Protein backbone atom coordinates (compact mmCIF):
# COMPACT_ATOMS: atom_id res chain seq x y z
CA UNK A 1 0.00 0.00 0.00
CA UNK A 2 1.30 3.41 -0.96
CA UNK A 3 0.90 6.46 1.28
CA UNK A 4 -0.04 8.72 -1.66
CA UNK A 5 -2.74 8.07 -4.24
CA UNK A 6 -0.81 7.78 -7.53
CA UNK A 7 -1.75 6.51 -10.97
CA UNK A 8 0.43 3.52 -11.85
CA UNK A 9 -0.16 0.58 -14.13
CA UNK A 10 1.40 -2.49 -15.66
CA UNK A 11 4.97 -1.81 -16.71
CA UNK A 12 5.47 1.19 -14.42
CA UNK A 13 8.37 1.15 -11.96
CA UNK A 14 8.46 2.24 -8.35
CA UNK A 15 11.98 3.26 -7.32
CA UNK A 16 13.74 4.97 -4.45
CA UNK A 17 14.51 8.66 -4.77
CA UNK A 18 17.97 9.08 -6.24
CA UNK A 19 17.89 5.64 -7.90
CA UNK A 20 15.82 6.58 -10.93
CA UNK A 21 16.41 4.50 -14.06
CA UNK A 22 17.26 5.98 -17.42
CA UNK A 23 14.28 6.80 -19.63
CA UNK A 24 14.58 6.86 -23.39
CA UNK A 25 13.66 5.69 -26.83
CA UNK A 26 17.09 5.62 -28.48
CA UNK A 27 19.07 2.75 -27.01
CA UNK A 28 22.32 0.87 -27.46
CA UNK A 29 22.49 -2.86 -26.79
CA UNK A 30 24.35 -6.09 -27.29
CA UNK A 31 22.06 -8.53 -29.08
CA UNK A 32 22.20 -12.31 -29.35
CA UNK A 33 20.27 -13.34 -32.48
CA UNK A 34 18.38 -16.65 -32.05
CA UNK A 35 16.40 -17.04 -35.26
CA UNK A 36 17.22 -18.26 -38.76
CA UNK A 37 15.68 -15.10 -40.20
CA UNK A 38 18.43 -12.45 -39.88
CA UNK A 39 18.14 -9.21 -37.93
CA UNK A 40 17.45 -6.49 -40.46
CA UNK A 41 17.99 -2.76 -40.15
CA UNK A 42 14.77 -0.71 -40.39
CA UNK A 43 12.48 -3.77 -39.98
CA UNK A 44 9.85 -3.39 -37.27
CA UNK A 45 10.07 -5.64 -34.23
CA UNK A 46 8.46 -5.73 -30.80
CA UNK A 47 10.65 -5.35 -27.72
CA UNK A 48 9.44 -7.09 -24.56
CA UNK A 49 11.08 -5.25 -21.69
CA UNK A 50 9.92 -6.49 -18.28
CA UNK A 51 6.11 -6.35 -18.44
CA UNK A 52 6.08 -3.59 -21.08
CA UNK A 53 6.07 -3.96 -24.86
CA UNK A 54 7.13 -1.38 -27.41
CA UNK A 55 7.51 -1.44 -31.17
CA UNK A 56 11.12 -0.97 -32.15
CA UNK A 57 13.43 -0.67 -35.12
CA UNK A 58 17.16 -1.32 -35.28
CA UNK A 59 18.79 1.76 -36.75
CA UNK A 60 22.38 0.48 -36.96
CA UNK A 61 24.60 -2.51 -36.34
CA UNK A 62 27.84 -1.12 -34.94
CA UNK A 63 29.63 -4.45 -35.29
CA UNK A 64 29.29 -8.24 -35.21
CA UNK A 65 31.40 -10.00 -32.60
CA UNK A 66 33.44 -13.06 -33.64
CA UNK A 67 33.35 -15.15 -30.46
CA UNK A 68 36.32 -17.30 -31.51
CA UNK A 69 38.79 -14.43 -31.15
CA UNK A 70 36.60 -11.56 -29.81
CA UNK A 71 37.25 -9.49 -32.93
CA UNK A 72 34.74 -6.98 -34.28
CA UNK A 73 33.50 -7.05 -37.87
CA UNK A 74 31.27 -4.79 -39.96
CA UNK A 75 27.81 -6.23 -40.48
CA UNK A 76 24.64 -5.24 -42.29
CA UNK A 77 22.62 -7.95 -40.52
CA UNK A 78 22.98 -10.57 -37.78
CA UNK A 79 22.32 -14.24 -38.45
CA UNK A 80 21.49 -17.23 -36.26
CA UNK A 81 23.64 -17.36 -33.09
CA UNK A 82 25.51 -14.16 -33.95
CA UNK A 83 26.19 -11.45 -31.39
CA UNK A 84 26.38 -7.77 -32.23
CA UNK A 85 26.32 -4.25 -30.84
CA UNK A 86 23.26 -2.40 -32.16
CA UNK A 87 21.42 0.91 -32.00
CA UNK A 88 17.62 0.80 -31.74
CA UNK A 89 14.72 3.18 -31.44
CA UNK A 90 11.40 2.41 -29.73
CA UNK A 91 8.00 3.97 -30.30
CA UNK A 92 7.52 4.64 -26.59
CA UNK A 93 10.04 5.41 -23.84
CA UNK A 94 11.48 2.57 -21.76
CA UNK A 95 12.66 2.88 -18.15
CA UNK A 96 15.92 0.98 -18.03
CA UNK A 97 19.29 0.45 -16.40
CA UNK A 98 22.47 -0.84 -18.02
CA UNK A 99 22.53 -4.65 -17.93
CA UNK A 100 25.77 -4.54 -15.92
CA UNK A 101 23.88 -2.70 -13.13
CA UNK A 102 20.57 -4.57 -13.20
CA UNK A 103 19.75 -7.62 -15.30
CA UNK A 104 15.99 -7.21 -14.82
CA UNK A 105 15.66 -3.69 -16.20
CA UNK A 106 18.69 -4.05 -18.49
CA UNK A 107 17.46 -6.88 -20.70
CA UNK A 108 14.80 -7.42 -23.34
CA UNK A 109 13.45 -9.98 -25.80
CA UNK A 110 12.99 -9.25 -29.52
CA UNK A 111 9.84 -10.57 -31.20
CA UNK A 112 8.86 -10.49 -34.88
CA UNK A 113 5.91 -8.13 -35.16
CA UNK A 114 4.24 -10.13 -37.96
CA UNK A 115 4.74 -13.73 -36.77
CA UNK A 116 5.19 -13.34 -32.99
CA UNK A 117 8.37 -15.48 -33.19
CA UNK A 118 11.12 -14.84 -30.68
CA UNK A 119 14.03 -13.46 -32.68
CA UNK A 120 16.67 -12.68 -30.07
CA UNK A 121 17.57 -11.17 -26.74
CA UNK A 122 19.34 -7.97 -25.80
CA UNK A 123 21.34 -6.38 -23.01
CA UNK A 124 21.14 -2.60 -22.70
CA UNK A 125 24.38 -0.64 -22.52
CA UNK A 126 25.49 2.77 -21.35
CA UNK A 127 25.76 4.92 -24.50
CA UNK A 128 29.29 5.35 -25.79
CA UNK A 129 30.37 8.95 -25.34
Amino acid sequence: TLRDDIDIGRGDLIVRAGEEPRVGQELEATVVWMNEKPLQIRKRYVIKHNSREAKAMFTAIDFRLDVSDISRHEASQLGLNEIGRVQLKTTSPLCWDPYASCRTTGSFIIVDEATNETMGAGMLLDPVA
Side-chain angles (χ1 to χ4, degrees):
T1 304
L2 300 173
R3 178 177 46 215
D4 299 324
D5 185 23
I6 59 174
D7 183 25
I8 59 172
R10 182 176 177 90
D12 291 339
L13 294 176
I14 299 174
V15 298
R16 290 185 182 131
E19 295 183 14
E20 294 84 2
R22 292 166 172 86
V23 178
Q25 291 178 256
E26 294 185 17
L27 309 166
E28 185 170 342
T30 298
V31 167
V32 178
W33 202 252
M34 301 183 290
N35 197 287
E36 291 181 8
K37 298 175 195 168
L39 178 152
Q40 298 175 2
I41 300 297
R42 305 277 178 222
K43 181 179 177 355
R44 289 174 51 149
Y45 295 96
V46 172
I47 299 295
K48 292 188 176 185
H49 178 256
N50 296 317
S51 59
R52 183 178 295 274
E53 289 186 5
K55 292 183 182 178
M57 178 184 306
F58 293 95
T59 57
I61 299 174
D62 297 336
F63 59 84
R64 179 183 55 79
L65 187 66
D66 184 334
V67 294
S68 65
D69 62 4
I70 313 299
S71 59
R72 298 175 179 187
H73 302 275
E74 282 190 30
S76 59
Q77 61 185 23
L78 293 178
L80 179 63
N81 296 326
E82 290 186 325
I83 299 171
R85 170 91 42 102
V86 299
Q87 305 292 321
L88 65 141
K89 186 169 185 166
T90 61
T91 55
S92 58
L94 299 180
C95 297
W96 63 278
D97 295 294
Y99 183 81
S101 300
C102 181
R103 288 191 207 177
T104 303
T105 57
S107 61
F108 60 91
I109 296 173
I110 307 155
V111 176
D112 186 291
E113 184 180 45
T115 65
N116 208 32
E117 289 178 85
T118 298
M119 305 304 283
M123 297 166 282
L124 293 163
L125 304 168
D126 271 324
V128 176

